[in-house]
Structure formats: C-alpha cells, structure tokens
Amino acid sequence: MIELQHVTKVFNRGKINEVRALEDVTLSIADGEFVVLVGANGSGKTTLLNMIAGAVIPNEGWVSLNGQEVTRLPEHKRSRWVARVFQNPLAGTAPELSILDNFRLASLRTGKKRLVIGINDQFRNTVRDKIAGLGLGLENKLQQPMGSLSGGQRQALTLLMSVMDHTDILLLDEPTAALDPRSAEVVMETARKIIADYRLTTMLITHNMRETLRFGNRIIHMAGGRVVHDIDAEAKKALKLEDVYGWFG
Amino acid sequence: MIFYLSALTMGLCLSAMGLGIYITMKIFRIPDITTDGSYTMGAAVTAVLLTQDWSLPAVIGITVAAGALAGVLTGLVHTRLKIDALLAGILVMTGLYSVNLTILGRSNVPLLNTTSVFSALSIFDKAIYNEVWVSLLFLILLGGLLSYMLRTDFGLAMRATGNSESMTRALGINNDHMKIIGLAIANALTALSGFLVAQYQHYTDINMGIGIVLVGLGSVLIGDALINWLGVQRIWLQLALIVAGCILFQLVLALALSLGVNPNMLKLVTAVFVLAIVGIPRLIRNTAS
C-alpha cells in the first residue's frame, strides 16, 4: 500500500534553474497492484519513484507506506518495505563483491548486519537454487565478482536479490533501458515471475510502449509533474498501442 | 643483514597503518590523511603512558581509542558537514598537531628505560630478532582480526558501501555510519603503528608523522599492484600482500640510504618513489593506447 497526499517537489527553488518536478500529486496504490508509470523525460516519474524510496523528500504533502507515515524517513530506513532495481545495472549491486556476497547483503535488507560470518553451506545452496531458476547458467559462478557479469545478468540478479528478504514494494526504474532486447526479455520475465510469486506491490517506469501494455494492471501517465491519465485494469485491457502513442502526441 | 632486518621490522610496524589506509583508500575510496596526526598521536600516547609505567594492555587500549577518536572526528566532519574528505582529514590532522604536543608536553620524549612490547615478549637474545618476531606476531593478530571482520555480514556491508552507495542505501545500510566506523578503524590501526614505532625507535617525536601518509599510500599502492597482478580474491591474502607492500617500501628506502643518499633527502626520495609508483603505470598505459 503506497499513498501520496498532495506531494510537491521543487528542485533549486527560486533559482534560475528551478524545476517543478511534482505538482500536487495524490495517488493511492493498493497492495499487489502493478503500476506501469509512463511519461516523457522530465515528467516527474523518477522523482515520484525516488520519493517513495526516500531518496527525495517532498516540499509539501506526505507519503505513507503500509499505512505508516514515512515522509521524512531516509532511504536506508525504508528498505524495510521497499526493494529497488535501478536503471543503471551498476547501481544495484556491488561490483567488487562476489555474487554470493551480494546476495548475503540482500538477504539482510531488513535486518542487522552483524559481526558474524553469515555465509554457510545452507545459504550457499539456497542462493544457488534461486539463481539456477533464472536459467542463465550463473549458479556455478557464485564466487565470481558481480562486476564481471553483463548488464543483463546483473539486472536479473538484482531482481532476484530484491526478494532475498521480505519486501512489500518493488520499484523498477527503467530496469531494461541499458540492455539489449534479449537480456531485456529475460529481466522482464524474471520480474513478472517474482512479482506474481511474492504478490509485490510494484511500480515500473518504462519508455517501452510494448512493455507498458504487456505488464501490470494499471497505467499512470505523467506530464509536467502531474498525473494526466490513470488507467485501471479494466480500461487497460481495451487500451491500444496507438492510444498510448497518442498521449505523447 | 641487521640493516635489512631493521627495514623489515619498520615495514611490519608500519603495516598496521598500511592496513588502515587499505580500508579507507581501497574499501571506502576515501582519501584520508588524518593519518599523519593519528600516527603521532598513537606514538605520543604510548610514550607518555609508558614513561608513567602503565601496563601494555592499557596502553594498547588507550592508543586504539585515541586513534579511533581521530577517525570519528574526520568522519563526522566529512559526513555531517559534507566537507570534502581530503579537507576534513587536513583539518583534523592539523588540529591534532597541537593536541599531540599537549599530550607529549615537549617535542621529543625518549623511551630508554621503559618496558616495551618488544622486551615484554622477548624470546631471543638479540634485540633485532625480538623486534622482528613481536612486530610479526602483532601483525598476524591484527590481520587475522581484520580479515575475519571483513568477511562478516558487517564487513560485507562495509565493503559494499565503498563499492556502490546506491545499493547499500537501498539495502538498509547507513553509509555515513559505515564511513565513520571505517575511518575510526583505519585511524586506530594507524595509531597502533605509532605505538609500535615509538617503542621500536625508543622515542616519540612530534614531527615523526610528517609525510607518513605518503609512506602508507605508496605501500598500499605496491600491495594493491601485487593483488591485481596475482588476481588475489581472498581477503586474508589481500591483507598479507598489503603488508608485503609496506615491507617492500621500507626495503627500497633502506636501499636508498645504503646507496649513500643523504638522510635529509629521505622525504624527497619517498615522494619521488610514490610518484613513480603512481605515475609509471599511467605513463605505460598512455603510451600503449
């Protein structure tokens, strides 16, 4: 459950380069809803996502997650509810740490990172099984540094990492933008499976119109920092590619 | 022989600092030069407490605490006030000069008839062998502790912080806290080097820390080159190679002295040597591309 009440965000207020990124946005996203967020560059999509994650604090309005007000809670404290996958495949993983180390940290997203060695055979096997499920052949490369993998592999693993620990909300900011079509397909299929299996409340930003229609059960179109279209599951079924293109006229 | 053994001992004594600089420079990617101050502080605290007959464990504890405090200060200035890490380090280092002078009470304190770790743990007849073995024992203990720590969940979080801050934030890690803790550990290690060197050379001098960060930096760069060259992944081996870097660095300086370089020129030799370590790989890369 994500709620935004009259949130406004202005960057560089009063300066010549002032940007009004969000203008009085009110939005409620129910548990298990999969929202696809579309809009031109600068329409406020990423600011909205960052505000839910805690990376951006609103100037006005408030944010709540699962019924708890979190407006001023910093990002690292919202990780209790929120998992993220970034546009840049490098941003969601630690390149010099091994795949296994990355997964270990991901499994502690909501917990304490204590002074004990947490990686044991049982943990290693759990991770190996999960990674084998991706079908990318990475299950035997657990000791390899994350940085040695391709962008697509890293994005797929980041998605898997997001469900290593309990999460309610998954934020995907153009997860396939930096990937080739084949890798993009693998990543989106992984996402679809994880979201369904764990019944995650999801927000996906994409510039890919086909993805927009294929995924999710609600579409939100933003322009100039406001929500201009909000299409529910029923209306989405009737929506055609031309309609979506029409929004960007 | 004695000449090279003393270079080896000096390298081992300075390795604690090398491990500290490895943490800040390689793990957190923070250029921390609090080192000059925390190294002298370790030596100053050691000199004052040993001349007042404090027990060695107590001296070690207070030295570690003093170094950690210096690191925390730099960390707070850097993270809370958003001041560049380099400037934060310079500020604390400069301030520490006066603090260290106050601790020492004068600019030079000899340690001639006091107990030291080297005499307390001596097993050989010759002093130099004891110095080698005690400093080696010290380093093995420190390296073991550090390599264990870096493999724990907390250590993973620490290593990830320097690697990808966006990731660690998203995984519920407070990056600022991590940096402060990292700087505290690094400077505590540096202070321990001061502790060892003061006893090894039998005096603490207010100026002994000047430029020591450069020695540490050069040593870590050598160690890091070895790590990359050998493709070492295991943490304890990486730490061992950093120690090797520290020893190599001291051997080069010893070699320079034995070739008749004027001791007054030693700082210049150090600077040129570090410049060569940093510069030559870049020159090779530039000409290759």
Side-chain angles (χ1 to χ4, degrees):
Chain A
M1 178 81 169
I2 304 169
E3 263 188 291
L4 299 159
Q5 286 287 340
H6 303 289
V7 292
T8 294
K9 182 67 194 180
V10 184
F11 292 107
N12 307 316
R13 192 195 281 271
K15 297 206 182 111
I16 193 157
N17 53 347
E18 180 176 287
V19 178
R20 304 192 69 84
L22 289 177
E23 291 269 19
D24 192 24
V25 172
T26 295
L27 202 61
S28 173
I29 296 163
D31 283 338
E33 225 171 357
F34 182 170
V35 177
V36 182
L37 201 55
V38 297
N41 290 326
S43 59
K45 308 180 300 287
T46 297
T47 306
L48 189 75
L49 216 65
N50 281 336
M51 196 174 275
I52 294 167
V56 166
I57 304 295
N59 298 110
E60 284 157 46
W62 54 267
V63 183
S64 86
L65 302 177
N66 280 5
Q68 190 166 338
E69 212 248 53
V70 296
T71 313
R72 309 212 155 263
L73 204 65
E75 188 175 355
H76 65 89
K77 290 197 175 149
R78 291 192 205 184
S79 62
R80 207 176 333 154
W81 306 283
V82 183
R84 304 190 71 178
V85 178
F86 300 88
Q87 176 177 354
N88 180 354
L90 308 179
T93 51
E96 286 173 18
L97 265 56
S98 69
I99 295 178
L100 197 59
D101 291 345
N102 272 276
F103 271 75
R104 179 63 200 166
L105 279 178
S107 75
L108 297 170
R109 181 165 41 75
T110 69
K112 281 212 177 345
K113 288 83 179 161
R114 293 183 301 132
L115 268 173
V116 291
I117 294 181
I119 295 176
N120 51 26
D121 285 340
Q122 190 197 345
F123 182 79
R124 199 172 287 124
N125 290 333
T126 312
V127 171
R128 185 177 292 128
D129 291 345
K130 285 199 183 227
I131 293 181
L134 285 177
L136 292 173
L138 294 174
E139 55 274 16
N140 295 321
K141 299 181 176 174
L142 296 185
Q143 293 299 345
Q144 214 165 305
M146 203 59 141
S148 66
L149 306 182
S150 73
Q153 290 170 329
R154 283 175 79 166
Q155 270 326 47
L157 290 179
T158 311
L159 267 167
L160 211 53
M161 280 163 60
S162 64
V163 289
M164 281 299 290
D165 197 357
H166 175 81
T167 190
D168 299 304
I169 297 163
L170 180 62
L171 302 177
L172 308 168
D173 186 358
E174 295 190 59
T176 61
L179 308 182
D180 64 73
R182 249 185 67 90
S183 307
E185 185 63 32
V186 173
V187 168
M188 285 314 294
E189 270 316 309
T190 309
R192 187 213 285 279
K193 203 168 162 313
I194 284 172
I195 291 162
D197 287 353
Y198 294 84
R199 294 193 188 80
L200 302 178
T201 309
T202 307
M203 292 191 82
L204 163 72
I205 294 182
T206 182
H207 284 293
N208 181 327
M209 292 310 142
R210 288 180 199 286
E211 275 182 11
T212 307
L213 289 186
R214 238 177 92 195
F215 296 101
N217 43 31
R218 181 173 172 186
I219 300 178
I220 289 174
H221 171 216
M222 294 188 69
R226 294 173 194 275
V227 173
V228 287
H229 290 97
D230 190 344
I231 312 285
D232 64 14
E234 272 308 301
K236 184 173 178 292
K237 283 178 190 151
L239 201 69
K240 293 192 182 63
L241 208 52
E242 301 88 79
D243 302 331
V244 183
Y245 277 122
W247 295 346
F248 294 89
Chain B
M1 187 59 193
I2 293 289
F3 187 73
Y4 289 102
L5 275 181
S6 56
L8 170 69
T9 312
M10 195 62 184
L12 285 169
C13 290
L14 289 175
S15 289
M17 170 184 72
L19 295 176
I21 290 183
Y22 174 74
I23 291 178
T24 51
M25 189 170 81
K26 284 291 153 193
I27 294 185
F28 284 99
R29 292 183 172 72
I30 295 173
D32 175 40
I33 60 170
T34 319
T35 313
D36 280 16
S38 47
Y39 173 74
T40 313
M41 184 138 109
V45 168
T46 302
V48 168
L49 295 181
L50 284 183
T51 47
Q52 292 177 13
D53 292 326
W54 284 56
S55 74
L56 280 167
V59 178
I60 292 174
I62 294 171
T63 304
V64 166
L69 190 67
V72 167
L73 275 180
T74 302
L76 285 174
V77 173
H78 173 50
T79 58
R80 290 286 186 276
L81 303 177
K82 311 280 175 224
I83 288 174
D84 186 75
L86 209 53
L87 180 56
I90 295 174
L91 286 172
V92 173
M93 173 191 87
T94 307
L96 281 182
Y97 190 89
S98 302
V99 174
N100 292 337
L101 202 50
T102 310
I103 294 173
L104 272 178
R106 52 200 157 115
S107 61
N108 190 301
V109 172
L111 290 169
L112 293 172
N113 299 315
T114 51
T115 46
S116 74
V117 270
F118 303 111
S119 61
L121 297 171
S122 74
I123 48 172
F124 297 105
D125 291 337
K126 258 182 143 171
I128 184 71
Y129 293 140
N130 283 320
E131 284 156 2
V132 173
W133 114 260
V134 171
S135 50
L136 193 63
L137 175 76
F138 225 78
L139 250 289
I140 290 171
L141 285 175
L142 280 181
L145 267 175
L146 202 59
S147 104
Y148 176 81
M149 197 269 289
L150 288 173
R151 287 187 297 128
T152 63
D153 292 338
F154 179 80
L156 286 181
M158 230 169 96
R159 285 153 65 197
T161 300
N163 231 218
S164 176
E165 287 197 25
S166 51
M167 176 224 196
T168 47
R169 258 198 307 275
L171 292 182
I173 295 164
N174 187 332
N175 289 333
D176 285 353
H177 284 178
M178 276 296 169
K179 286 180 194 168
I180 294 171
I181 294 171
L183 284 165
I185 295 174
N187 284 290
L189 286 167
T190 303
L192 278 178
S193 268
F195 163 85
L196 287 173
V197 172
Q199 295 171 75
Y200 172 59
Q201 64 187 14
H202 299 291
Y203 68 87
T204 291
D205 187 275
I206 188 66
N207 291 325
M208 67 190 276
I210 293 177
I212 200 76
V213 66
L214 210 56
V215 174
L217 213 63
S219 307
V220 172
L221 286 172
I222 297 174
D224 194 47
L226 292 174
I227 289 169
N228 290 331
W229 181 49
L230 300 170
V232 171
Q233 292 267 351
R234 285 180 187 280
I235 291 289
W236 72 268
L237 258 178
Q238 291 196 1
L239 298 182
L241 286 175
I242 295 297
V243 173
C246 293
I247 295 168
L248 274 174
F249 197 100
Q250 290 306 314
L251 285 175
V252 169
L253 288 190
L255 193 70
L257 282 177
S258 72
L259 291 176
V261 171
N262 182 340
N264 286 343
M265 289 289 127
L266 210 53
K267 291 259 189 267
L268 184 61
V269 172
T270 307
V272 171
F273 182 41
V274 174
L275 180 67
I277 298 168
V278 181
I280 289 173
R282 293 192 191 206
L283 274 179
I284 293 171
R285 229 176 297 147
N286 286 351
T287 45
S289 60

